[in-house]
Structure formats: structure tokens, C-alpha cells
């Protein structure tokens, strides 16, 4: 089983690679077709955020284990400008970039767990998990 | 990968065959705009049956494309969005509001006939 993949995000095509790697792992973990679409979409959004705000970063997909629960963990990491107001960034429709402001709040709705850590001038790390039902 | 665009009478049919990068989507938008002008097309069907993900960028680009083509006199119908993709889009907060959609290519062409009046063989 390909249990972990780290995809560097430098170009637009890397967004597609990241979501395809995530989908492949999620498929091996036994997620339904519906869940695969949710996971791939969430990965696409966080990878796109890296490109738009930081320019460079990486997306790691790995198997998550919590007691008897198994799932997928997605970590999107960058060393970009960071987010000054996370609560604001998590609001639907808020964006400082050219996006629609659905990326972060939308990804949270698509996944089961969603954590974001960010420091201005240091970077941002988004960690998301979805559990196999 | 370039999306094939087929000219059928006064309509254009774009069939997405694989995952699209942002650049592919922008290119599709530009090519459709160019072809609508060149062929004086009245209607465009974009078939997304092969798309496994419609994220916010793809949704926005397609919505903008449809609005842009409308301003050039062509009606756009988006068809073939898979059920799981539709579910993910709604969860994400994208719904292609204001854009005509249909189940598949056949229904999309029928919808264009209703809207534009005159089928693919229609000669103006």
C-alpha cells in the first residue's frame, strides 16, 4: 500500500498531482466514490492556496490511525506570509487573494477534521483528516 | 491536455476527457471565446462527464466562461457533472448559479434547441 506521498507544490500541475495521489491513497483505504470526490476536492483547494499565497510548499497525504478508526490525513505546509486573522480566513467569502474565499471554509466542510496553524512571516500548515465510515 | 472542441452546425461541443489543470481551463475558455466568434456559434455545450474534481477555480472559470460567451451571443449549457462531483461542489459552496445545466449531452443539445431556437443543422 502506498501509505504516504509528499507532493511539492510549485506549479499548477502539482495541484492535480496532489489530488490524484490523495485520491489513490483514499481509494486503497476503502473510501466510497463520493468520499473520494470530497477528499480530492479538499486537497485541490489547500494545494491551490499554497500556490496563490505562498508560491511554494508541499502537500503530504498519509494513512491516519486513531484506535480502530482508519482514514486519510492531508497536511498542506508552506513557508509563505502566514494568515494574520485565521477566524476571518475561515469565513465563507473572505479572501485577500483573487480566489472566492471558499477554499478554507469549504475544505473544512468536505473533511471530518480540520486544523490550521499559521504564523505571520513564518508560514501556514493545514491538517485535515477524513475517516473511513 | 487540450480539450477537444467539436463544431456541430451552429453549436460547439467541448468534451473534457481528463483531469484539467488551471492552465487547461483558461485555454478552454480562450479557445471557446475564439471559436464562438469565428464560427458565429449560437450555443456551447461543455461536457464534464470525465471530470473527477470540480474545485473552486474550475467552477469559477466555467461560470465566467458561460457569462463571457453569453455576452458574445452564445448560450452555454454545462452537462455531465457526476453525482459525487455535484455533491462535493455543493459542500464546497460552489453551485454554478445562473448557469444552464443538463444531465448529459443529449439533454444539453435539446436545451440549446429550446433556448436558441434552431437545431445544430439550423442555417442562419
Amino acid at each position: 500500500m502506498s501509505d504516504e506521498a509528499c507532493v511539492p507544490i510549485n506549479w499548477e500541475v502539482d495541484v492535480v498531482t496532489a489530488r490524484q495521489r490523495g485520491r489513490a491513497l483514499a481509494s486503497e483505504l476503502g473510501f466510497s466514490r463520493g468520499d473520494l470526490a470530497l477528499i480530492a476536492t479538499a486537497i485541490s483547494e489547500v494545494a491551490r492556496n499554497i500556490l496563490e499565497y505562498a508560491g511554494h510548499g508541499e502537500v503530504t497525504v498519509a494513512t491516519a490511525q486513531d484506535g480502530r478508526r482508519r482514514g486519510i490525513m492531508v497536511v498542506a505546509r508552506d513557508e509563505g506570509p502566514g494568515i494574520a486573522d485565521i477566524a476571518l480566513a475561515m469565513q465563507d467569502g473572505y479572501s485577500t487573494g483573487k480566489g472566492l474565499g471558499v477554499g478554507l471554509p469549504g475544505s473544512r466542510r468536505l473533511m471530518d477534521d480540520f486544523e490550521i496553524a499559521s504564523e505571520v512571516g513564518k508560514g501556514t500548515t493545514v491538517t485535515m483528516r477524513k475517516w473511513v465510515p | 491536455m487540450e480539450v477537444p472542441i467539436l463544431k456541430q452546425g451552429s453549436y460547439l461541443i467541448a468534451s473534457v476527457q481528463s483531469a484539467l489543470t488551471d492552465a487547461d481551463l483558461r485555454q478552454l475558455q480562450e479557445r471557446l471565446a475564439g471559436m464562438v466568434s469565428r464560427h458565429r456559434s449560437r450555443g456551447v455545450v461543455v461536457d464534464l462527464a470525465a471530470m473527477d474534481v470540480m474545485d473552486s477555480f474550475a467552477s469559477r472559470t466555467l461560470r465566467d466562461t458561460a457569462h463571457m460567451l453569453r455576452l458574445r451571443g452564445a448560450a452555454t449549457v454545462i452537462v455531465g457533472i457526476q453525482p459525487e462531483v455535484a455533491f462535493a461542489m455543493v459542500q464546497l459552496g460552489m453551485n454554478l448559479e445562473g448557469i444552464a445545466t443538463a444531465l448529459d449531452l443529449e439533454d444539453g443539445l435539446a436545451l440549446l434547441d429550446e433556448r436558441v431556437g434552431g437545431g445544430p443543422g439550423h442555417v442562419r
Side-chain angles (χ1 to χ4, degrees):
Chain A
M1 176 173 280
S2 62
D3 53 359
E4 189 166 323
C6 178
V7 182
I9 305 294
N10 298 305
W11 307 98
E12 286 176 353
V13 67
D14 300 332
V15 174
V16 176
T17 305
R19 73 184 185 222
Q20 285 174 343
R21 297 299 289 270
R23 176 188 283 267
L25 174 61
S27 176
E28 284 175 20
L29 286 165
F31 281 102
S32 67
R33 273 176 68 89
D35 280 340
L36 295 183
L38 299 181
I39 293 163
T41 305
I43 294 174
S44 202
E45 294 298 326
V46 293
R48 182 181 309 293
N49 272 355
I50 291 177
L51 270 190
E52 175 150 347
Y53 295 100
H56 307 278
E58 60 183 34
V59 170
T60 304
V61 295
T63 303
Q65 190 88 39
D66 176 25
R68 294 178 63 182
R69 286 199 301 180
R70 257 158 67 89
I72 187 169
M73 178 167 77
V74 179
V75 181
R77 191 179 293 114
D78 69 62
E79 295 177 355
I83 301 169
D85 189 337
I86 290 179
L88 197 56
M90 290 305 298
Q91 279 181 20
D92 267 303
Y94 177 82
S95 175
T96 59
K98 52 183 162 55
L100 296 170
V102 302
L104 290 177
S107 300
R108 179 163 63 177
R109 284 192 292 273
L110 296 171
M111 303 291 281
D112 291 331
D113 304 338
F114 185 99
E115 296 147 29
I116 181 165
S118 188
E119 201 176 329
V120 173
K122 290 272 177 64
T124 303
T125 300
V126 174
T127 306
M128 316 185 287
R129 289 177 206 83
K130 198 168 190 72
W131 303 103
V132 181
Chain B
M1 187 190 148
E2 192 168 277
V3 176
I5 302 174
L6 197 81
K7 178 179 177 297
Q8 192 178 331
S10 55
Y11 298 160
L12 297 176
I13 301 167
S15 302
V16 175
Q17 308 284 328
S18 63
L20 297 182
T21 65
D22 296 0
D24 294 334
L25 281 157
R26 278 192 294 265
Q27 196 202 43
L28 174 64
Q29 186 177 54
E30 280 168 28
R31 286 173 59 224
L32 281 174
M35 285 180 76
V36 160
S37 303
R38 202 156 55 244
H39 299 298
R40 312 187 77 80
S41 304
R42 304 289 306 280
V44 175
V45 178
V46 181
D47 189 346
L48 301 180
M51 282 277 266
D52 59 350
V53 170
M54 280 281 286
D55 65 2
S56 58
F57 182 86
S59 301
R60 182 180 47 163
T61 306
L62 282 167
R63 189 194 61 193
D64 290 353
T65 303
H67 287 311
M68 213 168 87
L69 297 178
R70 186 178 58 79
L71 292 171
R72 295 289 296 155
T76 300
V77 182
I78 306 277
V79 306
I81 296 177
Q82 296 301 301
E84 63 272 15
V85 174
F87 183 66
M89 286 172 70
V90 172
Q91 293 286 102
L92 184 63
M94 307 302 303
N95 55 19
L96 291 182
E97 204 170 347
I99 306 302
T101 55
L103 188 62
D104 54 22
L105 183 58
E106 190 181 344
D107 280 8
L109 288 170
L111 187 62
L112 276 183
D113 283 347
E114 276 171 37
R115 296 211 164 183
V116 175
H122 176 66
V123 179
R124 292 183 301 145

